Amino acid sequence: MENRPSLLGLTKIQISEVLKPFRQPAYRADQIFKWIHHHNVDSFEEMSNISKDFRQQLSDHFTIKTLGLVEKNIASDGTEKYLWKLPDGKHMESVLIPDKKRNTICISSQVGCSLGCHFCATGTMGLLRNLTPGEIVEQVLQVMKISQNRITNVVFMGMGEPFMNYPRVIQACKILGDPEGVAIATKRITISSSGIVPKIYQYTDDKLPYGLAISLHAPDQALREKIMPIAHKFPLDSLMDSIRYFMNAKKRNRITFEYVLLHGINDTQAEARKLISLLSPIRCKLNLIPCNQNHLGFNAPPPEALEEFVALMMKAPFTVTVRKNRGEDITAACGQLAVEIAEKSIFMKI
Ligand code: SAH
Ligand code: SF4
């Protein structure tokens, strides 16, 4: 296994810290940061404004990229799924969703997830480990290079719960938003959380500029705790309090709520009405996501039921959108990411 530490997950200040023993001029850290994140190089050898000797020293002590591409699949709608092997042999996935005006990458924050939402394939894996800031940022760099696409939007909607890996996710956002690096506009980076209440307070107090999406999925506590075990620990009332705190502190434009439509569970007219009254006082956008097929037995509403639900929701005073299912034929859609290789090896051990 690779023992040299990677410089890819470090901020400029952290790079200058690790370079101290090499007695380099102060601007060296900035140069290296720019080579890694702006020029997206794979090796120190390519850093042509650094002396040959020091490039050699850098590659003796450090590395840059650590993710191995195992497989890339392209769906009929153009969605691309990337399966990565991590340095410790574990696997995780990223998804690129090209669209007319923007290219969105959906990145992972953890290998698996501990929260076990009943409809989500990642949840069935349990948590294998947190990703490092470098492993989070590298998903964006590698996909940009391999697909030769500019990436305009980053969403933490791959594997894992970003707020259960808070400091590493925030560090990755800071690196991705750095104007001398990949320079993704901060408002085009969105963290999606299932509602880890203390972290919503912390995120507000840390005054971070990235977008926030909350996975709501039910308009009342009783139903929410039936499908999302985390709702027992952080009930809907306290979640809504934390969201009001967040909205008041920042005078933000709006927050996004996500609502997976599970037929026969949360897609009746009664739920639509409750959802309108719950969210009306909040400056928000609601994104309805017809459930994607996985092995967990939940279904999207049939077209008539979806139409009825959406028609009622259109009366809401906030914006409502219905998400297109992208990449379903390569199991790249939300809630479909579960590393089959990892599962197979677990089965083989048993
Ligand atoms: N853990 C975070 C982010 C990753 S999940 C969260 O839950 O928000 C990304 C999104 O996919 C969430 O909104 C999640 O609820 C949704 N999702 C999970 N399973 C799904 C499924 N089967 N169909 C559609 N969306 C799903
Ligand atoms: Fe984890 Fe999000 Fe899946 Fe729930 S929906 S199990 S929080 S990844």
mmCIF file of all heavy atoms in Angstrom, residues 99-144:
data_model
loop_
_atom_site.group_PDB
_atom_site.id
_atom_site.type_symbol
_atom_site.label_atom_id
_atom_site.label_comp_id
_atom_site.label_asym_id
_atom_site.label_seq_id
_atom_site.Cartn_x
_atom_site.Cartn_y
_atom_site.Cartn_z
ATOM 1 N N ASP A 99 -25.668 18.217 -18.468
ATOM 2 C CA ASP A 99 -26.938 18.807 -18.889
ATOM 3 C C ASP A 99 -26.613 19.937 -19.851
ATOM 4 O O ASP A 99 -25.448 20.258 -20.045
ATOM 5 C CB ASP A 99 -27.706 19.307 -17.661
ATOM 6 C CG ASP A 99 -29.199 19.079 -17.837
ATOM 7 O OD1 ASP A 99 -29.656 19.045 -18.997
ATOM 8 O OD2 ASP A 99 -29.895 18.937 -16.828
ATOM 9 N N LYS A 100 -27.665 20.557 -20.398
ATOM 10 C CA LYS A 100 -27.391 21.575 -21.422
ATOM 11 C C LYS A 100 -26.452 22.656 -20.908
ATOM 12 O O LYS A 100 -25.391 22.892 -21.450
ATOM 13 C CB LYS A 100 -28.709 22.194 -21.899
ATOM 14 C CG LYS A 100 -29.413 21.295 -22.907
ATOM 15 C CD LYS A 100 -30.815 21.808 -23.216
ATOM 16 C CE LYS A 100 -31.808 20.668 -23.220
ATOM 17 N NZ LYS A 100 -32.707 20.602 -22.078
ATOM 18 N N LYS A 101 -26.878 23.307 -19.806
ATOM 19 C CA LYS A 101 -26.095 24.458 -19.365
ATOM 20 C C LYS A 101 -25.091 24.128 -18.273
ATOM 21 O O LYS A 101 -24.213 24.926 -17.985
ATOM 22 C CB LYS A 101 -27.039 25.555 -18.865
ATOM 23 C CG LYS A 101 -27.627 26.359 -20.011
ATOM 24 C CD LYS A 101 -28.195 27.670 -19.504
ATOM 25 C CE LYS A 101 -29.597 27.875 -20.048
ATOM 26 N NZ LYS A 101 -30.645 28.015 -19.138
ATOM 27 N N ARG A 102 -25.271 22.998 -17.599
ATOM 28 C CA ARG A 102 -24.360 22.729 -16.492
ATOM 29 C C ARG A 102 -23.996 21.248 -16.425
ATOM 30 O O ARG A 102 -24.733 20.390 -16.907
ATOM 31 C CB ARG A 102 -24.968 23.170 -15.165
ATOM 32 C CG ARG A 102 -26.287 22.512 -14.905
ATOM 33 C CD ARG A 102 -26.864 22.918 -13.590
ATOM 34 N NE ARG A 102 -28.221 22.422 -13.506
ATOM 35 C CZ ARG A 102 -29.187 23.035 -12.884
ATOM 36 N NH1 ARG A 102 -28.978 24.173 -12.283
ATOM 37 N NH2 ARG A 102 -30.394 22.502 -12.849
ATOM 38 N N ASN A 103 -22.834 21.010 -15.829
ATOM 39 C CA ASN A 103 -22.411 19.637 -15.580
ATOM 40 C C ASN A 103 -22.309 19.469 -14.074
ATOM 41 O O ASN A 103 -21.506 20.125 -13.418
ATOM 42 C CB ASN A 103 -21.043 19.382 -16.203
ATOM 43 C CG ASN A 103 -21.125 19.395 -17.716
ATOM 44 O OD1 ASN A 103 -22.064 18.861 -18.298
ATOM 45 N ND2 ASN A 103 -20.155 20.021 -18.359
ATOM 46 N N THR A 104 -23.132 18.575 -13.550
ATOM 47 C CA THR A 104 -23.174 18.403 -12.096
ATOM 48 C C THR A 104 -22.482 17.103 -11.721
ATOM 49 O O THR A 104 -22.744 16.059 -12.320
ATOM 50 C CB THR A 104 -24.641 18.345 -11.610
ATOM 51 O OG1 THR A 104 -25.292 19.543 -12.033
ATOM 52 C CG2 THR A 104 -24.727 18.233 -10.092
ATOM 53 N N ILE A 105 -21.608 17.171 -10.727
ATOM 54 C CA ILE A 105 -21.029 15.936 -10.208
ATOM 55 C C ILE A 105 -21.633 15.668 -8.842
ATOM 56 O O ILE A 105 -21.773 16.555 -8.007
ATOM 57 C CB ILE A 105 -19.487 15.968 -10.162
ATOM 58 C CG1 ILE A 105 -18.949 14.607 -9.706
ATOM 59 C CG2 ILE A 105 -18.949 17.066 -9.265
ATOM 60 C CD1 ILE A 105 -17.455 14.423 -9.865
ATOM 61 N N CYS A 106 -21.998 14.418 -8.674
ATOM 62 C CA CYS A 106 -22.604 13.962 -7.439
ATOM 63 C C CYS A 106 -21.519 13.155 -6.727
ATOM 64 O O CYS A 106 -21.096 12.109 -7.243
ATOM 65 C CB CYS A 106 -23.761 13.083 -7.907
ATOM 66 S SG CYS A 106 -24.838 12.530 -6.687
ATOM 67 N N ILE A 107 -21.005 13.673 -5.615
ATOM 68 C CA ILE A 107 -19.844 13.016 -5.014
ATOM 69 C C ILE A 107 -20.188 12.347 -3.686
ATOM 70 O O ILE A 107 -21.165 12.688 -3.026
ATOM 71 C CB ILE A 107 -18.649 13.988 -4.822
ATOM 72 C CG1 ILE A 107 -19.046 15.230 -4.017
ATOM 73 C CG2 ILE A 107 -18.049 14.384 -6.158
ATOM 74 C CD1 ILE A 107 -17.850 16.134 -3.705
ATOM 75 N N SER A 108 -19.323 11.409 -3.300
ATOM 76 C CA SER A 108 -19.501 10.672 -2.051
ATOM 77 C C SER A 108 -18.699 11.328 -0.936
ATOM 78 O O SER A 108 -17.632 11.900 -1.180
ATOM 79 C CB SER A 108 -19.029 9.224 -2.227
ATOM 80 O OG SER A 108 -19.834 8.561 -3.185
ATOM 81 N N SER A 109 -19.226 11.216 0.281
ATOM 82 C CA SER A 109 -18.517 11.740 1.454
ATOM 83 C C SER A 109 -18.067 10.618 2.385
ATOM 84 O O SER A 109 -17.232 10.824 3.256
ATOM 85 C CB SER A 109 -19.412 12.710 2.224
ATOM 86 O OG SER A 109 -20.628 12.080 2.582
ATOM 87 N N GLN A 110 -18.659 9.430 2.212
ATOM 88 C CA GLN A 110 -18.301 8.275 3.041
ATOM 89 C C GLN A 110 -18.357 7.016 2.170
ATOM 90 O O GLN A 110 -18.974 7.025 1.107
ATOM 91 C CB GLN A 110 -19.325 8.091 4.179
ATOM 92 C CG GLN A 110 -19.458 9.292 5.114
ATOM 93 C CD GLN A 110 -20.461 9.045 6.237
ATOM 94 O OE1 GLN A 110 -21.592 8.652 5.984
ATOM 95 N NE2 GLN A 110 -20.033 9.278 7.469
ATOM 96 N N VAL A 111 -17.734 5.942 2.655
ATOM 97 C CA VAL A 111 -17.945 4.638 2.013
ATOM 98 C C VAL A 111 -19.086 4.008 2.790
ATOM 99 O O VAL A 111 -18.948 3.706 3.982
ATOM 100 C CB VAL A 111 -16.700 3.737 2.094
ATOM 101 C CG1 VAL A 111 -16.942 2.452 1.302
ATOM 102 C CG2 VAL A 111 -15.463 4.455 1.596
ATOM 103 N N GLY A 112 -20.251 3.876 2.130
ATOM 104 C CA GLY A 112 -21.451 3.409 2.823
ATOM 105 C C GLY A 112 -22.054 4.545 3.631
ATOM 106 O O GLY A 112 -21.703 5.716 3.442
ATOM 107 N N CYS A 113 -22.962 4.195 4.532
ATOM 108 C CA CYS A 113 -23.612 5.224 5.373
ATOM 109 C C CYS A 113 -24.187 4.514 6.588
ATOM 110 O O CYS A 113 -24.726 3.408 6.471
ATOM 111 C CB CYS A 113 -24.730 5.921 4.591
ATOM 112 S SG CYS A 113 -25.590 7.186 5.561
ATOM 113 N N SER A 114 -24.094 5.161 7.756
ATOM 114 C CA SER A 114 -24.564 4.510 8.987
ATOM 115 C C SER A 114 -26.055 4.716 9.228
ATOM 116 O O SER A 114 -26.606 4.146 10.154
ATOM 117 C CB SER A 114 -23.793 5.082 10.184
ATOM 118 O OG SER A 114 -24.022 6.476 10.272
ATOM 119 N N LEU A 115 -26.723 5.538 8.404
ATOM 120 C CA LEU A 115 -28.065 5.982 8.808
ATOM 121 C C LEU A 115 -29.204 5.073 8.343
ATOM 122 O O LEU A 115 -30.313 5.168 8.859
ATOM 123 C CB LEU A 115 -28.296 7.427 8.371
ATOM 124 C CG LEU A 115 -27.253 8.407 8.944
ATOM 125 C CD1 LEU A 115 -27.611 9.837 8.570
ATOM 126 C CD2 LEU A 115 -27.124 8.300 10.452
ATOM 127 N N GLY A 116 -28.938 4.210 7.399
ATOM 128 C CA GLY A 116 -29.888 3.152 7.050
ATOM 129 C C GLY A 116 -31.306 3.581 6.686
ATOM 130 O O GLY A 116 -32.267 2.923 7.098
ATOM 131 N N CYS A 117 -31.457 4.660 5.904
ATOM 132 C CA CYS A 117 -32.808 5.006 5.426
ATOM 133 C C CYS A 117 -33.339 3.798 4.647
ATOM 134 O O CYS A 117 -32.597 3.191 3.863
ATOM 135 C CB CYS A 117 -32.764 6.246 4.534
ATOM 136 S SG CYS A 117 -32.133 7.699 5.398
ATOM 137 N N HIS A 118 -34.607 3.468 4.864
ATOM 138 C CA HIS A 118 -35.095 2.169 4.394
ATOM 139 C C HIS A 118 -35.124 2.009 2.885
ATOM 140 O O HIS A 118 -35.123 0.900 2.371
ATOM 141 C CB HIS A 118 -36.492 1.908 4.962
ATOM 142 C CG HIS A 118 -36.470 1.726 6.453
ATOM 143 N ND1 HIS A 118 -37.587 1.524 7.205
ATOM 144 C CD2 HIS A 118 -35.434 1.733 7.328
ATOM 145 C CE1 HIS A 118 -37.248 1.418 8.485
ATOM 146 N NE2 HIS A 118 -35.949 1.551 8.579
ATOM 147 N N PHE A 119 -35.154 3.160 2.165
ATOM 148 C CA PHE A 119 -35.306 3.107 0.710
ATOM 149 C C PHE A 119 -33.976 3.267 -0.023
ATOM 150 O O PHE A 119 -33.930 3.322 -1.248
ATOM 151 C CB PHE A 119 -36.259 4.241 0.273
ATOM 152 C CG PHE A 119 -35.928 5.541 0.976
ATOM 153 C CD1 PHE A 119 -34.938 6.367 0.505
ATOM 154 C CD2 PHE A 119 -36.573 5.875 2.168
ATOM 155 C CE1 PHE A 119 -34.592 7.523 1.180
ATOM 156 C CE2 PHE A 119 -36.234 7.038 2.858
ATOM 157 C CZ PHE A 119 -35.229 7.866 2.364
ATOM 158 N N CYS A 120 -32.863 3.366 0.707
ATOM 159 C CA CYS A 120 -31.586 3.767 0.099
ATOM 160 C C CYS A 120 -30.577 2.615 0.071
ATOM 161 O O CYS A 120 -30.264 2.028 1.113
ATOM 162 C CB CYS A 120 -31.020 4.949 0.879
ATOM 163 S SG CYS A 120 -29.339 5.397 0.390
ATOM 164 N N ALA A 121 -30.059 2.317 -1.111
ATOM 165 C CA ALA A 121 -29.126 1.195 -1.258
ATOM 166 C C ALA A 121 -27.828 1.427 -0.478
ATOM 167 O O ALA A 121 -27.296 0.494 0.134
ATOM 168 C CB ALA A 121 -28.818 0.970 -2.739
ATOM 169 N N THR A 122 -27.335 2.666 -0.467
ATOM 170 C CA THR A 122 -26.092 2.933 0.279
ATOM 171 C C THR A 122 -26.278 2.578 1.752
ATOM 172 O O THR A 122 -25.365 2.052 2.399
ATOM 173 C CB THR A 122 -25.694 4.427 0.165
ATOM 174 O OG1 THR A 122 -25.644 4.807 -1.203
ATOM 175 C CG2 THR A 122 -24.348 4.684 0.803
ATOM 176 N N GLY A 123 -27.469 2.889 2.264
ATOM 177 C CA GLY A 123 -27.755 2.627 3.676
ATOM 178 C C GLY A 123 -27.618 1.159 4.053
ATOM 179 O O GLY A 123 -27.294 0.834 5.202
ATOM 180 N N THR A 124 -27.834 0.260 3.096
ATOM 181 C CA THR A 124 -27.755 -1.181 3.421
ATOM 182 C C THR A 124 -26.308 -1.634 3.630
ATOM 183 O O THR A 124 -26.071 -2.703 4.179
ATOM 184 C CB THR A 124 -28.364 -2.055 2.297
ATOM 185 O OG1 THR A 124 -27.603 -1.820 1.095
ATOM 186 C CG2 THR A 124 -29.817 -1.724 2.033
ATOM 187 N N MET A 125 -25.350 -0.811 3.204
ATOM 188 C CA MET A 125 -23.932 -1.201 3.354
ATOM 189 C C MET A 125 -23.418 -0.964 4.762
ATOM 190 O O MET A 125 -22.376 -1.477 5.140
ATOM 191 C CB MET A 125 -23.040 -0.361 2.421
ATOM 192 C CG MET A 125 -23.248 -0.592 0.947
ATOM 193 S SD MET A 125 -22.268 0.597 -0.013
ATOM 194 C CE MET A 125 -20.586 0.119 0.384
ATOM 195 N N GLY A 126 -24.119 -0.115 5.545
ATOM 196 C CA GLY A 126 -23.555 0.342 6.812
ATOM 197 C C GLY A 126 -22.407 1.298 6.505
ATOM 198 O O GLY A 126 -22.106 1.567 5.333
ATOM 199 N N LEU A 127 -21.776 1.813 7.551
ATOM 200 C CA LEU A 127 -20.659 2.728 7.309
ATOM 201 C C LEU A 127 -19.354 1.936 7.314
ATOM 202 O O LEU A 127 -19.042 1.256 8.276
ATOM 203 C CB LEU A 127 -20.595 3.812 8.397
ATOM 204 C CG LEU A 127 -19.390 4.755 8.263
ATOM 205 C CD1 LEU A 127 -19.479 5.596 6.996
ATOM 206 C CD2 LEU A 127 -19.257 5.663 9.491
ATOM 207 N N LEU A 128 -18.610 2.020 6.206
ATOM 208 C CA LEU A 128 -17.300 1.365 6.182
ATOM 209 C C LEU A 128 -16.204 2.334 6.625
ATOM 210 O O LEU A 128 -15.342 1.989 7.390
ATOM 211 C CB LEU A 128 -16.992 0.773 4.809
ATOM 212 C CG LEU A 128 -18.017 -0.251 4.290
ATOM 213 C CD1 LEU A 128 -17.526 -0.911 3.023
ATOM 214 C CD2 LEU A 128 -18.334 -1.315 5.331
ATOM 215 N N ARG A 129 -16.258 3.569 6.127
ATOM 216 C CA ARG A 129 -15.381 4.611 6.671
ATOM 217 C C ARG A 129 -15.692 5.979 6.059
ATOM 218 O O ARG A 129 -16.356 6.084 5.038
ATOM 219 C CB ARG A 129 -13.899 4.259 6.489
ATOM 220 C CG ARG A 129 -13.317 4.472 5.105
ATOM 221 C CD ARG A 129 -11.775 4.493 5.248
ATOM 222 N NE ARG A 129 -11.067 4.344 4.007
ATOM 223 C CZ ARG A 129 -10.699 5.365 3.221
ATOM 224 N NH1 ARG A 129 -11.070 6.602 3.511
ATOM 225 N NH2 ARG A 129 -10.003 5.129 2.124
ATOM 226 N N ASN A 130 -15.167 7.021 6.742
ATOM 227 C CA ASN A 130 -15.253 8.374 6.200
ATOM 228 C C ASN A 130 -14.242 8.524 5.080
ATOM 229 O O ASN A 130 -13.161 7.924 5.132
ATOM 230 C CB ASN A 130 -14.897 9.398 7.284
ATOM 231 C CG ASN A 130 -16.026 9.601 8.270
ATOM 232 O OD1 ASN A 130 -17.201 9.572 7.897
ATOM 233 N ND2 ASN A 130 -15.673 9.809 9.526
ATOM 234 N N LEU A 131 -14.549 9.365 4.102
ATOM 235 C CA LEU A 131 -13.542 9.723 3.099
ATOM 236 C C LEU A 131 -12.720 10.897 3.619
ATOM 237 O O LEU A 131 -13.208 11.716 4.399
ATOM 238 C CB LEU A 131 -14.216 10.104 1.779
ATOM 239 C CG LEU A 131 -14.948 8.974 1.060
ATOM 240 C CD1 LEU A 131 -15.589 9.486 -0.231
ATOM 241 C CD2 LEU A 131 -14.000 7.813 0.738
ATOM 242 N N THR A 132 -11.465 10.971 3.187
ATOM 243 C CA THR A 132 -10.603 12.093 3.570
ATOM 244 C C THR A 132 -10.938 13.288 2.663
ATOM 245 O O THR A 132 -11.526 13.107 1.586
ATOM 246 C CB THR A 132 -9.116 11.732 3.373
ATOM 247 O OG1 THR A 132 -8.903 11.513 1.959
ATOM 248 C CG2 THR A 132 -8.733 10.468 4.138
ATOM 249 N N PRO A 133 -10.518 14.509 3.060
ATOM 250 C CA PRO A 133 -10.759 15.656 2.169
ATOM 251 C C PRO A 133 -10.175 15.408 0.780
ATOM 252 O O PRO A 133 -10.791 15.755 -0.235
ATOM 253 C CB PRO A 133 -10.028 16.813 2.871
ATOM 254 C CG PRO A 133 -9.952 16.417 4.302
ATOM 255 C CD PRO A 133 -9.861 14.918 4.324
ATOM 256 N N GLY A 134 -8.987 14.792 0.722
ATOM 257 C CA GLY A 134 -8.355 14.520 -0.564
ATOM 258 C C GLY A 134 -9.194 13.571 -1.417
ATOM 259 O O GLY A 134 -9.371 13.789 -2.618
ATOM 260 N N GLU A 135 -9.730 12.531 -0.805
ATOM 261 C CA GLU A 135 -10.547 11.569 -1.561
ATOM 262 C C GLU A 135 -11.847 12.203 -2.048
ATOM 263 O O GLU A 135 -12.388 11.821 -3.086
ATOM 264 C CB GLU A 135 -10.845 10.343 -0.679
ATOM 265 C CG GLU A 135 -9.606 9.480 -0.449
ATOM 266 C CD GLU A 135 -9.734 8.517 0.732
ATOM 267 O OE1 GLU A 135 -10.675 8.652 1.551
ATOM 268 O OE2 GLU A 135 -8.875 7.631 0.867
ATOM 269 N N ILE A 136 -12.344 13.187 -1.310
ATOM 270 C CA ILE A 136 -13.569 13.886 -1.737
ATOM 271 C C ILE A 136 -13.251 14.798 -2.931
ATOM 272 O O ILE A 136 -13.905 14.740 -3.965
ATOM 273 C CB ILE A 136 -14.175 14.681 -0.552
ATOM 274 C CG1 ILE A 136 -14.605 13.722 0.566
ATOM 275 C CG2 ILE A 136 -15.362 15.521 -1.030
ATOM 276 C CD1 ILE A 136 -15.004 14.395 1.873
ATOM 277 N N VAL A 137 -12.180 15.613 -2.790
ATOM 278 C CA VAL A 137 -11.823 16.559 -3.858
ATOM 279 C C VAL A 137 -11.382 15.811 -5.117
ATOM 280 O O VAL A 137 -11.704 16.203 -6.243
ATOM 281 C CB VAL A 137 -10.686 17.493 -3.372
ATOM 282 C CG1 VAL A 137 -10.166 18.353 -4.516
ATOM 283 C CG2 VAL A 137 -11.169 18.374 -2.220
ATOM 284 N N GLU A 138 -10.664 14.716 -4.926
ATOM 285 C CA GLU A 138 -10.107 14.001 -6.089
ATOM 286 C C GLU A 138 -11.197 13.463 -7.010
ATOM 287 O O GLU A 138 -10.985 13.338 -8.226
ATOM 288 C CB GLU A 138 -9.179 12.871 -5.615
ATOM 289 C CG GLU A 138 -8.353 12.323 -6.777
ATOM 290 C CD GLU A 138 -7.375 11.237 -6.369
ATOM 291 O OE1 GLU A 138 -6.872 11.255 -5.227
ATOM 292 O OE2 GLU A 138 -7.113 10.354 -7.216
ATOM 293 N N GLN A 139 -12.370 13.159 -6.480
ATOM 294 C CA GLN A 139 -13.464 12.699 -7.338
ATOM 295 C C GLN A 139 -13.729 13.750 -8.420
ATOM 296 O O GLN A 139 -13.915 13.429 -9.592
ATOM 297 C CB GLN A 139 -14.742 12.471 -6.520
ATOM 298 C CG GLN A 139 -14.613 11.373 -5.472
ATOM 299 C CD GLN A 139 -15.820 11.322 -4.545
ATOM 300 O OE1 GLN A 139 -16.952 11.133 -4.987
ATOM 301 N NE2 GLN A 139 -15.609 11.489 -3.256
ATOM 302 N N VAL A 140 -13.716 15.036 -8.023
ATOM 303 C CA VAL A 140 -14.000 16.119 -8.971
ATOM 304 C C VAL A 140 -12.843 16.245 -9.981
ATOM 305 O O VAL A 140 -13.070 16.323 -11.194
ATOM 306 C CB VAL A 140 -14.219 17.451 -8.213
ATOM 307 C CG1 VAL A 140 -14.507 18.582 -9.193
ATOM 308 C CG2 VAL A 140 -15.351 17.312 -7.192
ATOM 309 N N LEU A 141 -11.617 16.249 -9.470
ATOM 310 C CA LEU A 141 -10.462 16.417 -10.372
ATOM 311 C C LEU A 141 -10.389 15.295 -11.402
ATOM 312 O O LEU A 141 -10.199 15.528 -12.596
ATOM 313 C CB LEU A 141 -9.161 16.459 -9.555
ATOM 314 C CG LEU A 141 -8.952 17.696 -8.669
ATOM 315 C CD1 LEU A 141 -7.664 17.556 -7.866
ATOM 316 C CD2 LEU A 141 -8.907 18.974 -9.500
ATOM 317 N N GLN A 142 -10.545 14.064 -10.929
ATOM 318 C CA GLN A 142 -10.410 12.930 -11.854
ATOM 319 C C GLN A 142 -11.545 12.904 -12.878
ATOM 320 O O GLN A 142 -11.316 12.637 -14.056
ATOM 321 C CB GLN A 142 -10.397 11.614 -11.066
ATOM 322 C CG GLN A 142 -9.112 11.423 -10.278
ATOM 323 C CD GLN A 142 -8.434 10.100 -10.625
ATOM 324 O OE1 GLN A 142 -8.588 9.561 -11.710
ATOM 325 N NE2 GLN A 142 -7.671 9.580 -9.676
ATOM 326 N N VAL A 143 -12.758 13.174 -12.438
ATOM 327 C CA VAL A 143 -13.884 13.129 -13.387
ATOM 328 C C VAL A 143 -13.719 14.232 -14.435
ATOM 329 O O VAL A 143 -13.978 14.025 -15.621
ATOM 330 C CB VAL A 143 -15.246 13.210 -12.652
ATOM 331 C CG1 VAL A 143 -16.387 13.455 -13.633
ATOM 332 C CG2 VAL A 143 -15.490 11.933 -11.855
ATOM 333 N N MET A 144 -13.236 15.410 -13.994
ATOM 334 C CA MET A 144 -12.996 16.490 -14.957
ATOM 335 C C MET A 144 -12.010 16.046 -16.018
ATOM 336 O O MET A 144 -12.181 16.283 -17.208
ATOM 337 C CB MET A 144 -12.406 17.706 -14.226
ATOM 338 C CG MET A 144 -13.461 18.695 -13.827
ATOM 339 S SD MET A 144 -12.887 19.986 -12.715
ATOM 340 C CE MET A 144 -11.445 20.551 -13.454
#
